[in-house]
Amino acid sequence: MESTSTLSHPLHTHQSKTSFASLLLGIPMYVYVVAICSCLVISGILWDIAWHMTIGRDGLFSAPHNLIYIGAAFAGIISGFQVLKTSFWGNATEKGKMVNFWGIFYSSLGGMFCIWGGFAAGTSAPFDDWWHNTYGLDVQIFSPPHTVLLLGLISIQIGAMIMVLAILNRKEKVASLTKEQNEARNIRLRWIFIFTAGMVLATAYTFMFEFLGRWNMHGALFYQIGSALFPLLIIPFSRASGSKWGATYSALIYMIYYITINATLRMFPAEPLLGPIANPVTFYQTTAFPLLLVFPAMVIDILTTKFGAKNDWFLAILMGFGFLATFLIIQYPAGNFLLESPYARNWFFQSDAWSYSSSADWEYRYKFAPWDVTEGIEAWAKGGGIALLLGILSARVGLLWGKWMQKVQR
């Protein structure tokens, strides 16, 4: 006698599959996984930095390293699986949406970035362990193994963005979804893109933190590096997101994410395990309060909306100037507050965070050191002019990259 249990009933099974597909809104599972991986890798990096600031030397398979490895490995493995699945079991329609390479394999462009990024991140792990064993604890973020890791992680995050854009730009309608569900699908894809863009901003800031910390905010070099880096990232997000406030939302996600991760880390007890200990700490020490990029990003979005159809060189000049002016007006006084104010020394603004290996009584812990401050109109005119030029060039490249992002479909 056949069981009438609803658990094994064909109709129930079909409904379960339909319900799950509706939950995904026709977006491939690997897109969700890679988007999560883009968050895991930078979370592991921030945890690793906090570990170095608080505990000291960590092993190859320390908890933060494992989180990075998991994120990088899953992004690479699921992208590799998708390549094999499409190449050997995919139909002509599926292969037509992919990039053909080596005459055999078919992959999304974003998947290729993720595979390379996963390989690079995995390669950097034993390289970093050997580096520590040979030269000791890192004193800089940009050591050779960290540079390899950076390239790998950025590749994974850019791959996640491109995966989403390829689907979004094809403007497909999923036959099994209603009109309302297809509209919701497009909205979700835009938000996944904005989320992954926020993770790219977080990673870029983290790896440039040595030059973009609160101690640097009164120096021209800070604004030169910021103008060279951030328009290159923010402008494509504004142009390619399909949202009027795409860059603003991306910058906001970066800020919320950064505050949340660091505030969470500070809740956990930890103590130094490697001498010399100049500053005994009892909980995780973290990097810094994020840059207030949401304000220049808002200016970028407004300029994109008002002048997006203009000549790109004209738009690059506007955006380069708009970014620098807003960045300087907002970030310069923020530097005073973050570095000097007692009200910034808490779990939210994190300005009391200090490495165990640095003296707690250092003269310039809570004030600007003379060598980090640019003084005089002439010095600022020269430094600001260089920053403006870098910002315009960065904006021009960003506009090109954003235009390419609008066209990618594979």
Side-chain angles (χ1 to χ4, degrees):
M1 183 176 180
E2 294 184 0
S3 172
T4 58
S5 170
T6 56
L7 292 176
S8 60
H9 197 284
L11 179 59
H12 183 272
T13 304
H14 174 73
Q15 288 175 340
S16 298
K17 290 181 178 179
T18 303
S19 176
F20 184 66
S22 299
L23 183 65
L24 297 180
L25 287 178
I27 301 171
M29 175 66 77
Y30 65 85
V31 172
Y32 291 100
V33 174
V34 172
I36 293 171
C37 289
S38 73
C39 179
L40 290 181
V41 292
I42 180 56
S43 298
I45 288 293
L46 290 178
W47 188 3
D48 190 45
I49 292 173
W51 188 295
H52 278 266
M53 291 177 64
T54 311
I55 299 172
R57 175 75 169 90
D58 50 0
L60 179 61
F61 294 107
S62 65
H65 286 180
N66 288 336
L67 187 60
I68 298 169
Y69 303 153
I70 289 170
F74 266 89
I77 290 170
I78 197 166
S79 298
F81 173 78
Q82 193 62 31
V83 170
L84 296 177
K85 180 176 180 292
T86 305
S87 301
F88 298 108
W89 295 281
N91 55 42
T93 301
E94 291 173 331
K95 292 180 179 179
K97 299 175 184 177
M98 302 293 175
V99 177
N100 178 235
F101 63 101
W102 295 349
I104 301 174
F105 298 107
Y106 291 84
S107 171
S108 65
L109 185 59
M112 295 173 72
F113 273 87
C114 289
I115 293 169
W116 185 90
F119 178 78
T123 302
S124 73
F127 184 22
D128 187 49
D129 191 58
W130 170 84
W131 187 271
H132 283 304
N133 290 332
T134 305
Y135 299 106
L137 194 65
D138 290 320
V139 295
Q140 295 180 347
I141 291 178
F142 277 106
S143 66
H146 286 177
T147 302
V148 174
L149 178 65
L150 165 64
L151 293 175
L153 300 187
I154 285 287
S155 291
I156 289 170
Q157 293 177 321
I158 290 176
M161 289 197 306
I162 294 174
M163 275 185 184
V164 178
L165 282 177
I167 300 171
L168 194 59
N169 291 342
R170 289 199 294 264
K171 299 179 180 178
E172 300 168 329
K173 300 292 184 182
V174 180
S176 60
L177 300 180
T178 64
K179 180 181 178 182
E180 290 76 15
Q181 286 175 322
N182 272 297
E183 291 174 354
R185 176 177 182 265
N186 288 334
I187 292 172
R188 184 177 295 181
L189 283 167
R190 289 193 185 97
W191 276 109
I192 295 174
F193 171 78
I194 289 168
F195 173 79
T196 55
M199 295 303 101
V200 170
L201 279 178
T203 302
Y205 169 62
T206 300
F207 279 90
M208 295 302 293
F209 175 70
E210 288 178 340
F211 311 101
L212 297 174
R214 55 186 176 273
W215 300 274
N216 310 111
M217 292 179 185
H218 284 187
L221 182 62
F222 175 90
Y223 298 96
Q224 291 167 3
I225 293 174
S227 294
L229 176 64
F230 293 117
L232 176 65
L233 300 175
I234 291 174
I235 291 171
F237 303 160
S238 179
R239 179 167 263 191
S241 67
S243 169
K244 181 179 179 180
W245 301 105
T248 305
Y249 291 146
S250 298
L252 191 59
I253 285 173
Y254 144 72
M255 290 184 63
I256 293 172
Y257 163 80
Y258 226 88
I259 293 169
T260 301
I261 289 294
N262 281 342
T264 302
L265 284 170
R266 287 169 63 95
M267 295 172 60
F268 290 92
E271 59 183 11
L273 297 179
L274 180 68
I277 301 172
N279 176 38
V281 295
T282 57
F283 58 90
Y284 272 111
Q285 304 298 295
T286 50
T287 46
F289 190 75
L291 300 180
L292 301 173
L293 293 177
V294 66
F295 296 103
M298 194 180 300
V299 171
I300 294 296
D301 278 329
I302 291 171
L303 291 174
T304 299
T305 301
K306 288 186 174 294
F307 303 102
K310 299 288 186 180
N311 176 272
D312 275 1
W313 272 112
F314 171 77
L315 190 55
I317 293 171
L318 281 182
M319 288 182 167
F321 180 81
F323 175 88
L324 176 59
T326 311
F327 194 47
L328 179 61
I329 290 170
I330 295 294
Q331 208 66 56
Y332 192 96
N336 288 97
F337 173 76
L338 290 172
L339 187 58
E340 299 174 342
S341 174
Y343 297 106
R345 299 165 199 171
N346 51 54
W347 66 270
F348 186 78
F349 293 108
Q350 307 159 35
S351 293
D352 57 343
W354 199 245
S355 173
Y356 78 91
S357 60
S358 300
S359 172
D361 300 321
W362 186 49
E363 180 183 1
Y364 296 108
R365 179 176 178 180
Y366 292 122
K367 66 178 182 179
F368 291 96
W371 54 84
D372 284 329
V373 176
T374 299
E375 295 182 340
I377 296 176
E378 183 178 347
W380 270 109
K382 180 181 178 181
I386 294 172
L388 179 58
L389 178 60
L390 291 171
I392 292 170
L393 294 176
S394 178
R396 184 66 184 92
V397 176
L399 287 166
L400 284 173
W401 189 22
K403 187 173 289 186
W404 175 82
M405 280 186 171
Q406 288 177 311
K407 297 177 181 179
V408 63
Q409 296 188 6
R410 295 193 176 193

